[in-house]
Amino acid sequence: MKLFSIVLATGLLITSALRAQDSPTREVGLRLTSFDSFGMVYKKKLDENTYRRYRLAFGNLGANFVQSNTMVAFSAGGAMGKEKRRNLTDKLQFIYGTELIASVSLNSSTSGSVTVDNGSGGVVTYTGSSLLLVTPSVGIGFVLGAQYNFNPRWYISAELIPSVTASGTFGNGTSFYSIQAGFNSNSAGITGAYRF
């Protein structure tokens, strides 16, 4: 009987240790900021209720051909940060953290003009031939939101990411710099994610 008890206790310990290893440590999801703007989210568990988060915020490539002018625009951006979670109920969590946000855009025109967003709701237009403008941007975002866990594998979250960014536009002998602090509709998003 004593041998049976030892075997049973050992079996229970091994089973619970194996079950603990099955706990999901990664998450992947789709984040929508509007019906025409979305990005991918990947999160890796660092500690209990602490995650490293990566967002591919956007990527665009466009080309326009108007008579003898070819205009090409490319942009890409993403964010990396740390997210913490606090339980509000058994299924609802408060999420908060910070992100480092970076992006770059390239605009080119063989002849004509290129219009670039100045970051404060306006635009700057450059004219000439063989224009190439590069706009790098870096900033910090503050994550605030709530997450509802449907089950151990699926959840949905709503979050706001107000940010402060600095950018510069360079090319063809001109440059301008800007600093923006933003809290707008692009800072709000809904994410559906799967844990694995």
Side-chain angles (χ1 to χ4, degrees), residues 73-98:
F74 168 78
S75 62
M80 180 179 98
K82 192 180 222 183
E83 174 184 304
K84 294 193 176 220
R85 300 174 183 172
R86 298 220 183 219
N87 295 332
L88 298 175
T89 68
D90 61 334
K91 292 196 175 271
L92 186 64
Q93 294 178 303
F94 173 66
I95 58 175
Y96 62 97
T98 56

mmCIF file with all atom_site columns, all heavy atoms in Angstrom, residues 73-98:
data_model
loop_
_atom_site.group_PDB
_atom_site.id
_atom_site.type_symbol
_atom_site.label_atom_id
_atom_site.label_alt_id
_atom_site.label_comp_id
_atom_site.label_asym_id
_atom_site.label_entity_id
_atom_site.label_seq_id
_atom_site.pdbx_PDB_ins_code
_atom_site.Cartn_x
_atom_site.Cartn_y
_atom_site.Cartn_z
_atom_site.occupancy
_atom_site.B_iso_or_equiv
_atom_site.pdbx_formal_charge
_atom_site.auth_seq_id
_atom_site.auth_comp_id
_atom_site.auth_asym_id
_atom_site.auth_atom_id
_atom_site.pdbx_PDB_model_num
ATOM 1   N N   . ALA A 1 73 ? 5.762   55.915 -53.089 1.00 0.00 ? 73 ALA A N   1
ATOM 2   C CA  . ALA A 1 73 ? 5.736   56.149 -51.638 1.00 0.00 ? 73 ALA A CA  1
ATOM 3   C C   . ALA A 1 73 ? 5.836   54.804 -50.928 1.00 0.00 ? 73 ALA A C   1
ATOM 4   O O   . ALA A 1 73 ? 5.192   53.827 -51.325 1.00 0.00 ? 73 ALA A O   1
ATOM 5   C CB  . ALA A 1 73 ? 4.453   56.863 -51.245 1.00 0.00 ? 73 ALA A CB  1
ATOM 6   N N   . PHE A 1 74 ? 6.649   54.768 -49.893 1.00 0.00 ? 74 PHE A N   1
ATOM 7   C CA  . PHE A 1 74 ? 6.817   53.567 -49.079 1.00 0.00 ? 74 PHE A CA  1
ATOM 8   C C   . PHE A 1 74 ? 6.863   53.991 -47.626 1.00 0.00 ? 74 PHE A C   1
ATOM 9   O O   . PHE A 1 74 ? 7.498   54.995 -47.281 1.00 0.00 ? 74 PHE A O   1
ATOM 10  C CB  . PHE A 1 74 ? 8.115   52.841 -49.440 1.00 0.00 ? 74 PHE A CB  1
ATOM 11  C CG  . PHE A 1 74 ? 8.499   51.771 -48.447 1.00 0.00 ? 74 PHE A CG  1
ATOM 12  C CD1 . PHE A 1 74 ? 7.871   50.540 -48.472 1.00 0.00 ? 74 PHE A CD1 1
ATOM 13  C CD2 . PHE A 1 74 ? 9.460   52.016 -47.481 1.00 0.00 ? 74 PHE A CD2 1
ATOM 14  C CE1 . PHE A 1 74 ? 8.212   49.564 -47.551 1.00 0.00 ? 74 PHE A CE1 1
ATOM 15  C CE2 . PHE A 1 74 ? 9.799   51.044 -46.553 1.00 0.00 ? 74 PHE A CE2 1
ATOM 16  C CZ  . PHE A 1 74 ? 9.173   49.810 -46.592 1.00 0.00 ? 74 PHE A CZ  1
ATOM 17  N N   . SER A 1 75 ? 6.206   53.244 -46.759 1.00 0.00 ? 75 SER A N   1
ATOM 18  C CA  . SER A 1 75 ? 6.305   53.510 -45.328 1.00 0.00 ? 75 SER A CA  1
ATOM 19  C C   . SER A 1 75 ? 6.173   52.209 -44.555 1.00 0.00 ? 75 SER A C   1
ATOM 20  O O   . SER A 1 75 ? 5.496   51.272 -44.996 1.00 0.00 ? 75 SER A O   1
ATOM 21  C CB  . SER A 1 75 ? 5.235   54.513 -44.878 1.00 0.00 ? 75 SER A CB  1
ATOM 22  O OG  . SER A 1 75 ? 3.947   54.002 -45.100 1.00 0.00 ? 75 SER A OG  1
ATOM 23  N N   . ALA A 1 76 ? 6.851   52.144 -43.428 1.00 0.00 ? 76 ALA A N   1
ATOM 24  C CA  . ALA A 1 76 ? 6.777   50.976 -42.545 1.00 0.00 ? 76 ALA A CA  1
ATOM 25  C C   . ALA A 1 76 ? 7.051   51.436 -41.128 1.00 0.00 ? 76 ALA A C   1
ATOM 26  O O   . ALA A 1 76 ? 7.787   52.404 -40.912 1.00 0.00 ? 76 ALA A O   1
ATOM 27  C CB  . ALA A 1 76 ? 7.788   49.917 -42.961 1.00 0.00 ? 76 ALA A CB  1
ATOM 28  N N   . GLY A 1 77 ? 6.452   50.765 -40.187 1.00 0.00 ? 77 GLY A N   1
ATOM 29  C CA  . GLY A 1 77 ? 6.673   51.143 -38.797 1.00 0.00 ? 77 GLY A CA  1
ATOM 30  C C   . GLY A 1 77 ? 6.273   50.026 -37.861 1.00 0.00 ? 77 GLY A C   1
ATOM 31  O O   . GLY A 1 77 ? 5.561   49.091 -38.236 1.00 0.00 ? 77 GLY A O   1
ATOM 32  N N   . GLY A 1 78 ? 6.740   50.120 -36.661 1.00 0.00 ? 78 GLY A N   1
ATOM 33  C CA  . GLY A 1 78 ? 6.426   49.120 -35.662 1.00 0.00 ? 78 GLY A CA  1
ATOM 34  C C   . GLY A 1 78 ? 6.733   49.633 -34.273 1.00 0.00 ? 78 GLY A C   1
ATOM 35  O O   . GLY A 1 78 ? 7.164   50.777 -34.093 1.00 0.00 ? 78 GLY A O   1
ATOM 36  N N   . ALA A 1 79 ? 6.504   48.767 -33.302 1.00 0.00 ? 79 ALA A N   1
ATOM 37  C CA  . ALA A 1 79 ? 6.733   49.138 -31.915 1.00 0.00 ? 79 ALA A CA  1
ATOM 38  C C   . ALA A 1 79 ? 7.154   47.908 -31.127 1.00 0.00 ? 79 ALA A C   1
ATOM 39  O O   . ALA A 1 79 ? 6.787   46.779 -31.468 1.00 0.00 ? 79 ALA A O   1
ATOM 40  C CB  . ALA A 1 79 ? 5.472   49.740 -31.310 1.00 0.00 ? 79 ALA A CB  1
ATOM 41  N N   . MET A 1 80 ? 7.929   48.151 -30.079 1.00 0.00 ? 80 MET A N   1
ATOM 42  C CA  . MET A 1 80 ? 8.353   47.087 -29.176 1.00 0.00 ? 80 MET A CA  1
ATOM 43  C C   . MET A 1 80 ? 8.265   47.630 -27.762 1.00 0.00 ? 80 MET A C   1
ATOM 44  O O   . MET A 1 80 ? 8.644   48.785 -27.515 1.00 0.00 ? 80 MET A O   1
ATOM 45  C CB  . MET A 1 80 ? 9.790   46.685 -29.486 1.00 0.00 ? 80 MET A CB  1
ATOM 46  C CG  . MET A 1 80 ? 10.303  45.584 -28.594 1.00 0.00 ? 80 MET A CG  1
ATOM 47  S SD  . MET A 1 80 ? 11.996  45.141 -29.023 1.00 0.00 ? 80 MET A SD  1
ATOM 48  C CE  . MET A 1 80 ? 12.857  46.085 -27.796 1.00 0.00 ? 80 MET A CE  1
ATOM 49  N N   . GLY A 1 81 ? 7.738   46.835 -26.846 1.00 0.00 ? 81 GLY A N   1
ATOM 50  C CA  . GLY A 1 81 ? 7.613   47.330 -25.485 1.00 0.00 ? 81 GLY A CA  1
ATOM 51  C C   . GLY A 1 81 ? 7.341   46.240 -24.488 1.00 0.00 ? 81 GLY A C   1
ATOM 52  O O   . GLY A 1 81 ? 7.502   45.046 -24.763 1.00 0.00 ? 81 GLY A O   1
ATOM 53  N N   . LYS A 1 82 ? 6.933   46.673 -23.314 1.00 0.00 ? 82 LYS A N   1
ATOM 54  C CA  . LYS A 1 82 ? 6.638   45.772 -22.211 1.00 0.00 ? 82 LYS A CA  1
ATOM 55  C C   . LYS A 1 82 ? 5.220   46.047 -21.733 1.00 0.00 ? 82 LYS A C   1
ATOM 56  O O   . LYS A 1 82 ? 4.811   47.198 -21.616 1.00 0.00 ? 82 LYS A O   1
ATOM 57  C CB  . LYS A 1 82 ? 7.624   46.009 -21.082 1.00 0.00 ? 82 LYS A CB  1
ATOM 58  C CG  . LYS A 1 82 ? 7.614   44.962 -20.010 1.00 0.00 ? 82 LYS A CG  1
ATOM 59  C CD  . LYS A 1 82 ? 8.632   45.330 -18.954 1.00 0.00 ? 82 LYS A CD  1
ATOM 60  C CE  . LYS A 1 82 ? 9.397   44.102 -18.529 1.00 0.00 ? 82 LYS A CE  1
ATOM 61  N NZ  . LYS A 1 82 ? 10.347  44.420 -17.461 1.00 0.00 ? 82 LYS A NZ  1
ATOM 62  N N   . GLU A 1 83 ? 4.482   44.976 -21.502 1.00 0.00 ? 83 GLU A N   1
ATOM 63  C CA  . GLU A 1 83 ? 3.083   45.078 -21.074 1.00 0.00 ? 83 GLU A CA  1
ATOM 64  C C   . GLU A 1 83 ? 2.903   44.324 -19.766 1.00 0.00 ? 83 GLU A C   1
ATOM 65  O O   . GLU A 1 83 ? 3.419   43.226 -19.608 1.00 0.00 ? 83 GLU A O   1
ATOM 66  C CB  . GLU A 1 83 ? 2.197   44.455 -22.152 1.00 0.00 ? 83 GLU A CB  1
ATOM 67  C CG  . GLU A 1 83 ? 0.748   44.350 -21.788 1.00 0.00 ? 83 GLU A CG  1
ATOM 68  C CD  . GLU A 1 83 ? -0.046  43.642 -22.871 1.00 0.00 ? 83 GLU A CD  1
ATOM 69  O OE1 . GLU A 1 83 ? -0.006  44.087 -24.031 1.00 0.00 ? 83 GLU A OE1 1
ATOM 70  O OE2 . GLU A 1 83 ? -0.700  42.630 -22.551 1.00 0.00 ? 83 GLU A OE2 1
ATOM 71  N N   . LYS A 1 84 ? 2.155   44.933 -18.843 1.00 0.00 ? 84 LYS A N   1
ATOM 72  C CA  . LYS A 1 84 ? 1.811   44.270 -17.587 1.00 0.00 ? 84 LYS A CA  1
ATOM 73  C C   . LYS A 1 84 ? 0.301   44.160 -17.505 1.00 0.00 ? 84 LYS A C   1
ATOM 74  O O   . LYS A 1 84 ? -0.420  44.963 -18.086 1.00 0.00 ? 84 LYS A O   1
ATOM 75  C CB  . LYS A 1 84 ? 2.353   45.057 -16.402 1.00 0.00 ? 84 LYS A CB  1
ATOM 76  C CG  . LYS A 1 84 ? 3.864   45.067 -16.376 1.00 0.00 ? 84 LYS A CG  1
ATOM 77  C CD  . LYS A 1 84 ? 4.376   45.562 -15.063 1.00 0.00 ? 84 LYS A CD  1
ATOM 78  C CE  . LYS A 1 84 ? 5.883   45.455 -15.089 1.00 0.00 ? 84 LYS A CE  1
ATOM 79  N NZ  . LYS A 1 84 ? 6.418   45.001 -13.851 1.00 0.00 ? 84 LYS A NZ  1
ATOM 80  N N   . ARG A 1 85 ? -0.156  43.149 -16.778 1.00 0.00 ? 85 ARG A N   1
ATOM 81  C CA  . ARG A 1 85 ? -1.590  42.890 -16.639 1.00 0.00 ? 85 ARG A CA  1
ATOM 82  C C   . ARG A 1 85 ? -1.952  42.737 -15.167 1.00 0.00 ? 85 ARG A C   1
ATOM 83  O O   . ARG A 1 85 ? -1.221  42.126 -14.402 1.00 0.00 ? 85 ARG A O   1
ATOM 84  C CB  . ARG A 1 85 ? -1.971  41.617 -17.398 1.00 0.00 ? 85 ARG A CB  1
ATOM 85  C CG  . ARG A 1 85 ? -1.665  41.707 -18.877 1.00 0.00 ? 85 ARG A CG  1
ATOM 86  C CD  . ARG A 1 85 ? -1.900  40.406 -19.581 1.00 0.00 ? 85 ARG A CD  1
ATOM 87  N NE  . ARG A 1 85 ? -1.522  40.540 -20.989 1.00 0.00 ? 85 ARG A NE  1
ATOM 88  C CZ  . ARG A 1 85 ? -1.468  39.529 -21.834 1.00 0.00 ? 85 ARG A CZ  1
ATOM 89  N NH1 . ARG A 1 85 ? -1.771  38.310 -21.433 1.00 0.00 ? 85 ARG A NH1 1
ATOM 90  N NH2 . ARG A 1 85 ? -1.108  39.740 -23.081 1.00 0.00 ? 85 ARG A NH2 1
ATOM 91  N N   . ARG A 1 86 ? -3.099  43.300 -14.821 1.00 0.00 ? 86 ARG A N   1
ATOM 92  C CA  . ARG A 1 86 ? -3.642  43.150 -13.460 1.00 0.00 ? 86 ARG A CA  1
ATOM 93  C C   . ARG A 1 86 ? -5.044  42.591 -13.569 1.00 0.00 ? 86 ARG A C   1
ATOM 94  O O   . ARG A 1 86 ? -5.858  43.090 -14.350 1.00 0.00 ? 86 ARG A O   1
ATOM 95  C CB  . ARG A 1 86 ? -3.698  44.493 -12.750 1.00 0.00 ? 86 ARG A CB  1
ATOM 96  C CG  . ARG A 1 86 ? -2.338  45.083 -12.583 1.00 0.00 ? 86 ARG A CG  1
ATOM 97  C CD  . ARG A 1 86 ? -2.183  45.710 -11.265 1.00 0.00 ? 86 ARG A CD  1
ATOM 98  N NE  . ARG A 1 86 ? -0.853  46.299 -11.272 1.00 0.00 ? 86 ARG A NE  1
ATOM 99  C CZ  . ARG A 1 86 ? -0.060  46.284 -10.256 1.00 0.00 ? 86 ARG A CZ  1
ATOM 100 N NH1 . ARG A 1 86 ? -0.452  45.724 -9.155  1.00 0.00 ? 86 ARG A NH1 1
ATOM 101 N NH2 . ARG A 1 86 ? 1.119   46.831 -10.316 1.00 0.00 ? 86 ARG A NH2 1
ATOM 102 N N   . ASN A 1 87 ? -5.329  41.573 -12.790 1.00 0.00 ? 87 ASN A N   1
ATOM 103 C CA  . ASN A 1 87 ? -6.649  40.942 -12.801 1.00 0.00 ? 87 ASN A CA  1
ATOM 104 C C   . ASN A 1 87 ? -7.675  41.863 -12.152 1.00 0.00 ? 87 ASN A C   1
ATOM 105 O O   . ASN A 1 87 ? -7.480  42.344 -11.042 1.00 0.00 ? 87 ASN A O   1
ATOM 106 C CB  . ASN A 1 87 ? -6.612  39.605 -12.078 1.00 0.00 ? 87 ASN A CB  1
ATOM 107 C CG  . ASN A 1 87 ? -5.747  38.592 -12.784 1.00 0.00 ? 87 ASN A CG  1
ATOM 108 O OD1 . ASN A 1 87 ? -5.586  38.644 -13.995 1.00 0.00 ? 87 ASN A OD1 1
ATOM 109 N ND2 . ASN A 1 87 ? -5.173  37.679 -12.034 1.00 0.00 ? 87 ASN A ND2 1
ATOM 110 N N   . LEU A 1 88 ? -8.777  42.103 -12.879 1.00 0.00 ? 88 LEU A N   1
ATOM 111 C CA  . LEU A 1 88 ? -9.910  42.839 -12.324 1.00 0.00 ? 88 LEU A CA  1
ATOM 112 C C   . LEU A 1 88 ? -11.000 41.866 -11.900 1.00 0.00 ? 88 LEU A C   1
ATOM 113 O O   . LEU A 1 88 ? -11.629 42.046 -10.864 1.00 0.00 ? 88 LEU A O   1
ATOM 114 C CB  . LEU A 1 88 ? -10.450 43.831 -13.358 1.00 0.00 ? 88 LEU A CB  1
ATOM 115 C CG  . LEU A 1 88 ? -9.462  44.914 -13.813 1.00 0.00 ? 88 LEU A CG  1
ATOM 116 C CD1 . LEU A 1 88 ? -10.064 45.752 -14.931 1.00 0.00 ? 88 LEU A CD1 1
ATOM 117 C CD2 . LEU A 1 88 ? -9.055  45.794 -12.642 1.00 0.00 ? 88 LEU A CD2 1
ATOM 118 N N   . THR A 1 89 ? -11.237 40.855 -12.725 1.00 0.00 ? 89 THR A N   1
ATOM 119 C CA  . THR A 1 89 ? -12.140 39.738 -12.401 1.00 0.00 ? 89 THR A CA  1
ATOM 120 C C   . THR A 1 89 ? -11.453 38.474 -12.905 1.00 0.00 ? 89 THR A C   1
ATOM 121 O O   . THR A 1 89 ? -10.309 38.529 -13.367 1.00 0.00 ? 89 THR A O   1
ATOM 122 C CB  . THR A 1 89 ? -13.520 39.895 -13.089 1.00 0.00 ? 89 THR A CB  1
ATOM 123 O OG1 . THR A 1 89 ? -13.354 39.752 -14.498 1.00 0.00 ? 89 THR A OG1 1
ATOM 124 C CG2 . THR A 1 89 ? -14.165 41.230 -12.771 1.00 0.00 ? 89 THR A CG2 1
ATOM 125 N N   . ASP A 1 90 ? -12.143 37.344 -12.866 1.00 0.00 ? 90 ASP A N   1
ATOM 126 C CA  . ASP A 1 90 ? -11.520 36.103 -13.343 1.00 0.00 ? 90 ASP A CA  1
ATOM 127 C C   . ASP A 1 90 ? -11.297 36.109 -14.851 1.00 0.00 ? 90 ASP A C   1
ATOM 128 O O   . ASP A 1 90 ? -10.454 35.386 -15.358 1.00 0.00 ? 90 ASP A O   1
ATOM 129 C CB  . ASP A 1 90 ? -12.329 34.884 -12.907 1.00 0.00 ? 90 ASP A CB  1
ATOM 130 C CG  . ASP A 1 90 ? -13.745 34.895 -13.450 1.00 0.00 ? 90 ASP A CG  1
ATOM 131 O OD1 . ASP A 1 90 ? -14.276 35.989 -13.736 1.00 0.00 ? 90 ASP A OD1 1
ATOM 132 O OD2 . ASP A 1 90 ? -14.324 33.799 -13.594 1.00 0.00 ? 90 ASP A OD2 1
ATOM 133 N N   . LYS A 1 91 ? -11.992 36.949 -15.627 1.00 0.00 ? 91 LYS A N   1
ATOM 134 C CA  . LYS A 1 91 ? -11.823 36.994 -17.082 1.00 0.00 ? 91 LYS A CA  1
ATOM 135 C C   . LYS A 1 91 ? -11.339 38.347 -17.604 1.00 0.00 ? 91 LYS A C   1
ATOM 136 O O   . LYS A 1 91 ? -10.899 38.451 -18.739 1.00 0.00 ? 91 LYS A O   1
ATOM 137 C CB  . LYS A 1 91 ? -13.130 36.629 -17.781 1.00 0.00 ? 91 LYS A CB  1
ATOM 138 C CG  . LYS A 1 91 ? -13.520 35.181 -17.594 1.00 0.00 ? 91 LYS A CG  1
ATOM 139 C CD  . LYS A 1 91 ? -14.573 34.791 -18.592 1.00 0.00 ? 91 LYS A CD  1
ATOM 140 C CE  . LYS A 1 91 ? -14.896 33.338 -18.516 1.00 0.00 ? 91 LYS A CE  1
ATOM 141 N NZ  . LYS A 1 91 ? -14.073 32.519 -19.359 1.00 0.00 ? 91 LYS A NZ  1
ATOM 142 N N   . LEU A 1 92 ? -11.423 39.392 -16.802 1.00 0.00 ? 92 LEU A N   1
ATOM 143 C CA  . LEU A 1 92 ? -11.090 40.748 -17.247 1.00 0.00 ? 92 LEU A CA  1
ATOM 144 C C   . LEU A 1 92 ? -9.793  41.223 -16.599 1.00 0.00 ? 92 LEU A C   1
ATOM 145 O O   . LEU A 1 92 ? -9.612  41.074 -15.387 1.00 0.00 ? 92 LEU A O   1
ATOM 146 C CB  . LEU A 1 92 ? -12.232 41.703 -16.894 1.00 0.00 ? 92 LEU A CB  1
ATOM 147 C CG  . LEU A 1 92 ? -12.133 43.127 -17.411 1.00 0.00 ? 92 LEU A CG  1
ATOM 148 C CD1 . LEU A 1 92 ? -12.157 43.164 -18.938 1.00 0.00 ? 92 LEU A CD1 1
ATOM 149 C CD2 . LEU A 1 92 ? -13.268 43.967 -16.843 1.00 0.00 ? 92 LEU A CD2 1
ATOM 150 N N   . GLN A 1 93 ? -8.904  41.791 -17.427 1.00 0.00 ? 93 GLN A N   1
ATOM 151 C CA  . GLN A 1 93 ? -7.622  42.296 -16.938 1.00 0.00 ? 93 GLN A CA  1
ATOM 152 C C   . GLN A 1 93 ? -7.400  43.729 -17.404 1.00 0.00 ? 93 GLN A C   1
ATOM 153 O O   . GLN A 1 93 ? -7.792  44.095 -18.510 1.00 0.00 ? 93 GLN A O   1
ATOM 154 C CB  . GLN A 1 93 ? -6.461  41.437 -17.453 1.00 0.00 ? 93 GLN A CB  1
ATOM 155 C CG  . GLN A 1 93 ? -6.454  40.029 -16.915 1.00 0.00 ? 93 GLN A CG  1
ATOM 156 C CD  . GLN A 1 93 ? -5.309  39.226 -17.509 1.00 0.00 ? 93 GLN A CD  1
ATOM 157 O OE1 . GLN A 1 93 ? -5.203  39.107 -18.717 1.00 0.00 ? 93 GLN A OE1 1
ATOM 158 N NE2 . GLN A 1 93 ? -4.461  38.681 -16.648 1.00 0.00 ? 93 GLN A NE2 1
ATOM 159 N N   . PHE A 1 94 ? -6.759  44.523 -16.564 1.00 0.00 ? 94 PHE A N   1
ATOM 160 C CA  . PHE A 1 94 ? -6.298  45.855 -16.921 1.00 0.00 ? 94 PHE A CA  1
ATOM 161 C C   . PHE A 1 94 ? -4.893  45.706 -17.482 1.00 0.00 ? 94 PHE A C   1
ATOM 162 O O   . PHE A 1 94 ? -4.057  45.011 -16.901 1.00 0.00 ? 94 PHE A O   1
ATOM 163 C CB  . PHE A 1 94 ? -6.295  46.757 -15.681 1.00 0.00 ? 94 PHE A CB  1
ATOM 164 C CG  . PHE A 1 94 ? -5.674  48.103 -15.901 1.00 0.00 ? 94 PHE A CG  1
ATOM 165 C CD1 . PHE A 1 94 ? -6.264  49.027 -16.751 1.00 0.00 ? 94 PHE A CD1 1
ATOM 166 C CD2 . PHE A 1 94 ? -4.496  48.448 -15.265 1.00 0.00 ? 94 PHE A CD2 1
ATOM 167 C CE1 . PHE A 1 94 ? -5.693  50.271 -16.955 1.00 0.00 ? 94 PHE A CE1 1
ATOM 168 C CE2 . PHE A 1 94 ? -3.913  49.697 -15.456 1.00 0.00 ? 94 PHE A CE2 1
ATOM 169 C CZ  . PHE A 1 94 ? -4.519  50.600 -16.310 1.00 0.00 ? 94 PHE A CZ  1
ATOM 170 N N   . ILE A 1 95 ? -4.602  46.320 -18.646 1.00 0.00 ? 95 ILE A N   1
ATOM 171 C CA  . ILE A 1 95 ? -3.272  46.231 -19.243 1.00 0.00 ? 95 ILE A CA  1
ATOM 172 C C   . ILE A 1 95 ? -2.648  47.615 -19.316 1.00 0.00 ? 95 ILE A C   1
ATOM 173 O O   . ILE A 1 95 ? -3.334  48.610 -19.556 1.00 0.00 ? 95 ILE A O   1
ATOM 174 C CB  . ILE A 1 95 ? -3.297  45.554 -20.638 1.00 0.00 ? 95 ILE A CB  1
ATOM 175 C CG1 . ILE A 1 95 ? -4.203  46.294 -21.615 1.00 0.00 ? 95 ILE A CG1 1
ATOM 176 C CG2 . ILE A 1 95 ? -3.724  44.110 -20.535 1.00 0.00 ? 95 ILE A CG2 1
ATOM 177 C CD1 . ILE A 1 95 ? -4.171  45.737 -23.022 1.00 0.00 ? 95 ILE A CD1 1
ATOM 178 N N   . TYR A 1 96 ? -1.334  47.675 -19.088 1.00 0.00 ? 96 TYR A N   1
ATOM 179 C CA  . TYR A 1 96 ? -0.615  48.937 -19.147 1.00 0.00 ? 96 TYR A CA  1
ATOM 180 C C   . TYR A 1 96 ? 0.854   48.660 -19.464 1.00 0.00 ? 96 TYR A C   1
ATOM 181 O O   . TYR A 1 96 ? 1.347   47.548 -19.274 1.00 0.00 ? 96 TYR A O   1
ATOM 182 C CB  . TYR A 1 96 ? -0.747  49.720 -17.834 1.00 0.00 ? 96 TYR A CB  1
ATOM 183 C CG  . TYR A 1 96 ? -0.171  49.005 -16.637 1.00 0.00 ? 96 TYR A CG  1
ATOM 184 C CD1 . TYR A 1 96 ? 1.116   49.295 -16.191 1.00 0.00 ? 96 TYR A CD1 1
ATOM 185 C CD2 . TYR A 1 96 ? -0.897  48.044 -15.952 1.00 0.00 ? 96 TYR A CD2 1
ATOM 186 C CE1 . TYR A 1 96 ? 1.652   48.645 -15.101 1.00 0.00 ? 96 TYR A CE1 1
ATOM 187 C CE2 . TYR A 1 96 ? -0.369  47.385 -14.866 1.00 0.00 ? 96 TYR A CE2 1
ATOM 188 C CZ  . TYR A 1 96 ? 0.907   47.682 -14.437 1.00 0.00 ? 96 TYR A CZ  1
ATOM 189 O OH  . TYR A 1 96 ? 1.445   47.029 -13.360 1.00 0.00 ? 96 TYR A OH  1
ATOM 190 N N   . GLY A 1 97 ? 1.532   49.660 -19.999 1.00 0.00 ? 97 GLY A N   1
ATOM 191 C CA  . GLY A 1 97 ? 2.941   49.502 -20.321 1.00 0.00 ? 97 GLY A CA  1
ATOM 192 C C   . GLY A 1 97 ? 3.440   50.619 -21.205 1.00 0.00 ? 97 GLY A C   1
ATOM 193 O O   . GLY A 1 97 ? 2.770   51.643 -21.395 1.00 0.00 ? 97 GLY A O   1
ATOM 194 N N   . THR A 1 98 ? 4.629   50.435 -21.754 1.00 0.00 ? 98 THR A N   1
ATOM 195 C CA  . THR A 1 98 ? 5.235   51.414 -22.643 1.00 0.00 ? 98 THR A CA  1
ATOM 196 C C   . THR A 1 98 ? 5.759   50.727 -23.897 1.00 0.00 ? 98 THR A C   1
ATOM 197 O O   . THR A 1 98 ? 6.028   49.522 -23.883 1.00 0.00 ? 98 THR A O   1
ATOM 198 C CB  . THR A 1 98 ? 6.409   52.152 -21.964 1.00 0.00 ? 98 THR A CB  1
ATOM 199 O OG1 . THR A 1 98 ? 7.359   51.184 -21.520 1.00 0.00 ? 98 THR A OG1 1
ATOM 200 C CG2 . THR A 1 98 ? 5.946   52.996 -20.809 1.00 0.00 ? 98 THR A CG2 1
#
